[in-house]
Every structure is written in structure tokens, then in C-alpha cells.
Amino acid sequence: MTGAHPVVTDGADETRVSGEWGGGVSPFRVSWAKLMMWLFLLSDTLTFAGLLSGYGYSRLSSPSWPASHEVFNLNLVGLMTFILICSSATMAMAVTAAKSERWADAVRFVGLTILGGLVFLGMQAYEWSHFIGEGARLSGNPWGAPLFSASFFVITGFHGLHVTAGVVYLATVLARSARRRYTADGVEVAGLYWHFVDLVWVFIFTLLYLI
């Protein structure tokens, strides 16, 4: 017969756990800003997952769907993707430089990341204008499937808003870093956001443009 055994706890452990959750320190061993960013990114992941799942359902339930290579300029979109990935690399270098207290390098790499984001947004605006010029609207398009253009505008537009917010966010990081009023942890938190935006684009690029 198996009975319940009393739980033996060590007094030091109880004190440590009580102290961790008692306020003043992070029980997850990360800064408050980083923890909040992770929670935000988790919620944003669910939002993008919902959008991409809805896109997948619409596409699979539609009797026909336009071939991406006949509608999109895949060379342009491939270049956009390459630029965004490069911006993620410069952001990683900015974080490394900030942790090494090489603030001049950190500012330069953050600036390059912002430049990458701006170039991406400019190319996306060009793609949108070309797409709209061919007759694509939220309510319809010349290629038949009613939800084709609506899905494109909603998903890429939502992602574009994230890139825009990221550029503004990084501009703030750059300004404060240039005046030595920012911490390496703050640069790393900004990097988490930017890497997330880049990662989401890889999924969008694959699902909307390649498959």
C-alpha cells in the first residue's frame, strides 16, 4: 500500500523561493523589460499564427488559387527577404557591441538595421503599388480567388506595421545609445523584437510567395 509521504522542505530553499517571488527580483532570471518583451512576442506569435492559419484555410478551401510566380515579382520579394535577414545580422552585432560597451559600434549597427528596415518598407510600398495597379483590392482581384488579395494586404500590411514600429523603436534606441543613456540589456530587448519581426517574415515569405 502506498501512502502519502510528508513533504520535507529545506528551510534555505523556502527562504530562497519566498525571496524570488516576494518582489524586488525577477524569479525568471531575466530583466523586467526582457520578460515583458517575451510575453508581448508570445501574444504576437498567436496573432500571426491566427492570420496565417486563416490564410491556409482560405487557400485550401478555395477551388482555385493564383500561382504566386505569375502574380508576384519573386526576385523583388527575395531581395526584400535578404535585406531583412541582413538587418537581423546587424542587429545581433549591435547587441554584441553594446554588451562589450563599444557604443560607437552599437550605434552604427543599429543605424544599419534601421536602414535595412527602411529599405524593406520602401520595397514593400513599391510591391503594394504595383499590386494595386494591376487591380488588386481588398474586395476582389483579377486573378479570381476572392480572398487572395485580401489575405495578401492584411498579412503583409500587419507585418509592415510591425516593421514600421520596429524602425521607430530602433531610432529611439539609437538616439539614446548615442548619448550613452541606454543599457546593453535595452539594446538586447530591442533586438528580440527585431529578430521576431524578421522570423515572422520568413514564414510569410514561405507561405504566401513560395508555396
Side-chain angles (χ1 to χ4, degrees), residues 94-119:
V95 172
T96 301
K99 286 184 175 179
S100 304
E101 297 188 353
R102 293 183 285 113
W103 286 103
D105 290 339
V107 168
R108 183 168 67 253
F109 287 128
V110 170
L112 288 174
T113 305
I114 293 173
L115 178 62
L118 290 174
V119 172

Side-chain angles (χ1 to χ4, degrees), residues 1-22:
M1 179 177 175
T2 303
H5 298 284
V7 178
V8 178
T9 58
D10 183 79
D13 288 344
E14 287 182 348
T15 302
R16 177 176 58 79
V17 172
S18 174
E20 289 175 343
W21 292 92

